[in-house]
């Protein structure tokens, strides 16, 4: 009797990878690749990307020295025109703050998953998992960045350059850079916008994320540059997660039955 043996991908039936249907959820393999891509990103920069990063850092320092304090002061004036003008923009961000970024992510993912199951839309259930994946990665990255920066929050009153970089002080007043709320909002928006690829999804998604950023400054929890860095991180991580090719990374199992072989083909 021939024994069962697993066959490599090359021995599988001749179904094209691109022709395989998407599963209801992304594969663990694709999630692992996304995590590895994000972890390797700071160490995989080309020379031009390193120069671009240095330039962006210089711009960020310039903004910190010229705009952080005046923008914060204008938005903190109770009867000032800047605060009155941004009141409408910040309203959705206030709602997001009250719910909390993690609950907002769970609610978004849950609504997508339930709708996808009811309507038979696998792309929606896959997107729901991608939303949670992007938020989880963003939370880890911003947590590390907060520890590295250890920047004092605006309400401390010591100015935009106050802090103790590299000390990993986890106290709330010393975790200003970057804005975690804004980062997670932009991560969700980035996944939704990229997966849907429709303006009527992208505009409200990014609009809500911008509202969160405005509210974080108005609330006194963050400087302008905190919000800018947080938004950029969330957007980039969301794009990495949403851009992973789903169909080619799913795992499929095909039984092999013949007169001289019994086995299982695992294709990924």
């Amino acid at each position: 009797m021939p024994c069962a043996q697993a066959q490599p991908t090359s021995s599988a039936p001749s179904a094209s990878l691109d022709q395989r249907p998407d599963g209801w959820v992304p594969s663990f393999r694709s999630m692992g690749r996304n995590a590895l891509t994000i972890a390797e990103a700071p160490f995989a920069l080309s020379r031009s990307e390193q120069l671009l990063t240095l330039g962006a850092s210089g711009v960020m320092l310039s903004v910190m020295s010229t705009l952080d304090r005046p923008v914060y002061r204008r938005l903190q004036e109770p009867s000032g025109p800047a605060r009155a003008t941004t009141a409408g923009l910040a309203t959705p961000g206030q709602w997001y703050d009250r719910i909390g970024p993690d609950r907002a992510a769970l609610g978004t993912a849950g609504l997508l998953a339930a709708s996808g199951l009811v309507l038979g839309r696998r792309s929606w259930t896959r997107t729901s998992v991608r939303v949670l994946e992007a938020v989880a990665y963003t939370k880890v990255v911003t947590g590390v960045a907060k520890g590295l920066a250890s920047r004092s929050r605006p309400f401390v009153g010591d100015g935009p350059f106050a802090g103790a970089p590299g000390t990993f002080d986890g106290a709330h007043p010393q975790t200003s850079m970057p804005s975690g709320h804004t980062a997670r909002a932009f991560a969700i928006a980035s996944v939704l916008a990229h997966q849907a690829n429709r303006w009527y999804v992208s505009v409200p998604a990014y609009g809500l994320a911008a509202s969160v950023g405005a509210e974080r400054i108005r609330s006194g929890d963050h400087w302008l540059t905190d919000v800018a860095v947080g938004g950029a991180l969330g957007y980039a991580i969301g794009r990495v997660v949403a851009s992973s090719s789903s169909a080619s990374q799913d795992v499929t199992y095909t039984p092999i039955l013949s007169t001289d072989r019994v086995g299982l083909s695992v294709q990924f």
Side-chain angles (χ1 to χ4, degrees), residues 191-252:
V191 171
L192 294 178
H194 186 73
Q195 295 285 78
N197 196 25
R198 297 290 187 274
W199 69 268
Y200 50 80
V201 174
S202 303
V203 171
Y206 285 122
L208 175 59
S211 175
V212 172
E215 171 56 25
R216 297 308 288 167
I217 302 175
R218 285 168 53 92
S219 68
D221 283 295
H222 288 288
W223 303 100
L224 173 65
T225 45
D226 298 337
V227 168
V229 173
L233 283 174
Y235 172 82
I237 293 172
R239 292 297 295 229
V240 169
V241 170
S243 298
S244 58
S245 56
S246 58
S248 62
Q249 293 174 350
D250 285 335
V251 181
T252 59

Side-chain angles (χ1 to χ4, degrees), residues 155-173:
F155 61 73
V156 174
D158 294 334
F161 286 97
T167 59
F168 285 88
D169 187 349
H172 179 71

Side-chain angles (χ1 to χ4, degrees), residues 8-72:
T9 300
S10 58
S11 301
S14 59
S16 171
L17 290 176
D18 296 332
Q19 294 174 349
R20 290 187 294 156
D22 288 347
W24 288 97
V25 297
S27 68
F28 286 113
R29 182 181 178 87
S30 70
M31 296 181 191
R33 286 181 176 176
N34 290 336
L36 186 61
T37 298
I38 294 169
E40 289 180 339
F43 310 102
L45 297 177
S46 64
R47 179 60 61 86
S48 60
E49 289 171 334
Q50 291 174 356
L51 293 175
L52 181 62
T53 301
L54 288 175
S57 300
V59 171
M60 185 61 60
L61 289 173
S62 299
V63 173
M64 287 172 64
S65 62
T66 58
L67 293 180
D68 268 350
R69 193 189 297 271
V71 168
Y72 175 74

Side-chain angles (χ1 to χ4, degrees), residues 91-226:
T91 299
Q94 294 172 351
W95 165 81
Y96 178 92
D97 264 0
R98 284 195 292 269
I99 293 177
D102 293 333
R103 289 182 179 179
L106 288 172
T108 302
L111 181 61
L112 282 170
S115 301
L117 290 172
V118 170
L119 300 177
R121 301 289 296 271
R122 297 188 180 192
S123 61
W124 292 15
T125 61
R126 297 177 71 85
T127 300
S128 71
V129 177
R130 293 302 189 195
V131 166
L132 296 179
E133 185 185 357
V135 168
Y137 296 153
T138 302
K139 195 169 183 177
V140 172
V141 171
T142 54
V144 173
K146 283 176 180 289
L148 285 172
S150 295
R151 187 186 193 188
S152 298
R153 292 184 184 268
F155 61 73
V156 174
D158 294 334
F161 286 97
T167 59
F168 285 88
D169 187 349
H172 179 71
Q174 302 300 322
T175 54
S176 187
M177 169 74 81
S179 169
H181 283 61
T182 307
R184 279 172 274 180
F186 269 93
I188 296 172
S190 183
V191 171
L192 294 178
H194 186 73
Q195 295 285 78
N197 196 25
R198 297 290 187 274
W199 69 268
Y200 50 80
V201 174
S202 303
V203 171
Y206 285 122
L208 175 59
S211 175
V212 172
E215 171 56 25
R216 297 308 288 167
I217 302 175
R218 285 168 53 92
S219 68
D221 283 295
H222 288 288
W223 303 100
L224 173 65
T225 45
D226 298 337

